[in-house]
Amino acid sequence: MRVFVTGASGHLGSAVVPELLSAGHEVVGLARSDTSAAAIEKLGAQAHRGDLADLDVLRDQAVAADGVIHLAFRHDLMVNGDLAGAARTDLDALTALADGLAGSGKPLVGTSGTAMLVMGGIVGRPGTEHDTFPGGGYRIDAENFVADLGSRGVRSSIVRLAPTVHSSLDRYGFISTIIAAARRRGYAAYVGEGTNRWPAVHTLDAAVLYRLALEKAPAGTRLHGAADEGVPFRQIAAAIGDNLGLRVRSISPAEADEHFGFLGSFVQIDNPTSSALTRDLLGWTPTHPDLIADLHEGHYFRTA
Ligand SMILES: NC(=O)c1ccc[n+]([C@@H]2O[C@H](COP(=O)([O-])OP(=O)(O)OC[C@H]3O[C@@H](n4cnc5c(N)ncnc54)[C@H](OP(=O)(O)O)[C@@H]3O)[C@@H](O)[C@H]2O)c1
């Protein structure tokens, strides 16, 4: 398949592109700069110049492709608090990609996050692929848009990624931020009892999931990119403390923003996430180290 990939130069893209190429697909990646184009070409794919805001480029590339994987996201807007702007750009981009694929039966794989399960009110049990949120919300609107594209003749699916996509390819994700906080403060922290759980997935396992979704997910499928169902945050803090040689301690919710910065609230979410339906449907079997094992491989502490 000729696959158009947005975000091909990013963290997930750096694994998804080689995964597609090694399975025999041809890849064209969206590149908004010379640096991004060089990164995509270094992976062995073609780069096509354009920005997420160039909706004609997105539509035309979708028309020319046999399938699309959408990974790009305006994280720059998100971290500056412009969630609405980031979500609007995402939905506009998806609309252009869908326009290019409409009526073709070709696949479009979108990206979402398991954290939306918490925002959607799933509490005290693992969220499943059957949990949906018709009322909408941040990134949920984009997910619902993609899930409904079957009615327009697009074989659409959406991957809800764990907030912790980890590996030596990850340089700016949440784990790096938490490690940097521990270094800065001189201790690794968790909030309260630290029993709240974060799902996690290795980048290379996530890449396989995107390929499988592209190749065979039925229209309207929601998929969970979560290999660890839920790692208690206290265990994450302990692994970080071990590797940095720092003590590990509980802090109160009131201290969380000071310690973790913009992740102060997020480190407290309890987001257990099942991927049983995804595994059954696509035959997805994660094979790479889980989050705690990956932390103990040490690469985060050499580069953080
Ligand atoms: N990593 C995680 O732990 C995680 C967890 C949950 C969900 N997700 C979601 O997974 C997706 C991929 O994440 P990631 O970790 O790969 O992100 P990333 O490393 O920040 O990469 C973002 C990609 O989007 C591209 N991009 C950003 N703004 C653009 C624009 N205006 N025009 C064109 N391209 C643009 C970037 O291009 P440049 O190379 O030019 O910057 C880069 O290729 C995102 O939707 C993200 O929110 C990630």
Side-chain angles (χ1 to χ4, degrees):
M1 250 188 244
R2 175 188 166 101
V3 190
F4 179 54
V5 180
T6 71
S9 53
H11 167 204
L12 267 297
S14 71
V16 169
V17 171
E19 173 66 26
L20 293 172
L21 292 172
S22 68
H25 299 294
E26 182 191 341
V27 178
V28 178
L30 180 71
R32 60 172 163 166
S33 69
D34 289 344
T35 309
S36 316
I40 292 166
E41 284 162 3
K42 198 170 166 199
L43 293 171
Q46 294 173 51
H48 187 92
R49 289 300 290 264
D51 189 275
L52 268 184
D54 296 331
L55 301 181
D56 289 346
V57 169
L58 299 183
R59 192 166 35 248
D60 291 349
Q61 285 304 306
V63 169
D66 300 309
V68 173
I69 294 179
H70 176 53
L71 297 167
F73 194 77
R74 292 288 309 271
H75 290 133
D76 56 328
L77 295 180
M78 186 191 78
V79 296
N80 288 323
D82 185 6
L83 297 185
R88 192 171 49 247
T89 308
D90 193 39
L91 199 48
D92 287 349
L94 281 165
T95 302
L97 294 168
D99 286 348
L101 295 173
S104 68
K106 295 175 186 171
L108 167 62
V109 186
T111 302
S112 176
T114 66
M116 73 156 54
L117 295 161
V118 180
M119 291 186 267
I122 305 300
V123 178
R125 66 160 173 88
T128 80
E129 295 85 340
H130 287 324
D131 291 315
T132 59
F133 308 100
Y138 175 64
R139 297 200 78 163
I140 299 176
D141 294 333
E143 175 180 309
N144 290 342
F145 174 80
V146 174
D148 287 344
L149 285 174
S151 62
R152 290 185 58 198
V154 180
R155 185 167 58 77
S156 64
S157 60
I158 189 121
V159 177
R160 291 173 173 164
L161 283 173
T164 313
V165 182
H166 59 89
S167 72
S168 57
L169 298 168
D170 169 31
R171 300 186 38 218
Y172 306 109
F174 290 169
I175 288 295
S176 300
T177 306
I178 294 166
I179 291 170
R183 285 186 196 279
R184 193 171 57 246
R185 305 277 294 173
Y187 59 88
Y190 55 90
V191 178
E193 307 250 309
T195 51
N196 63 297
R197 293 153 292 178
W198 272 22
V201 65
H202 193 283
T203 313
L204 298 177
D205 287 321
V208 173
L209 177 55
Y210 274 93
R211 177 179 60 77
L212 293 172
L214 178 89
E215 291 174 347
K216 57 182 181 177
T221 313
R222 291 172 169 86
L223 300 160
H224 280 182
D228 282 317
E229 180 173 293
V231 186
F233 198 86
R234 186 177 182 152
Q235 287 182 19
I236 299 173
I240 291 172
D242 273 3
N243 278 279
L244 292 177
L246 295 174
R247 73 199 161 101
V248 183
R249 57 168 284 229
S250 167
I251 61 175
S252 70
E255 296 171 292
D257 285 350
E258 196 181 350
H259 186 93
F260 291 106
F262 75 96
L263 285 181
S265 301
F266 205 78
V267 298
Q268 301 178 58
I269 67 167
D270 187 36
N271 184 210
T273 301
S274 167
S275 57
L277 296 172
T278 299
R279 293 174 195 237
D280 283 354
L281 182 71
L282 298 181
W284 180 57
T285 308
T287 57
H288 291 90
D290 63 21
L291 175 59
I292 297 300
D294 199 22
L295 283 169
H296 286 305
E297 287 194 355
H299 55 84
Y300 275 105
F301 305 95
R302 290 191 287 274
T303 58

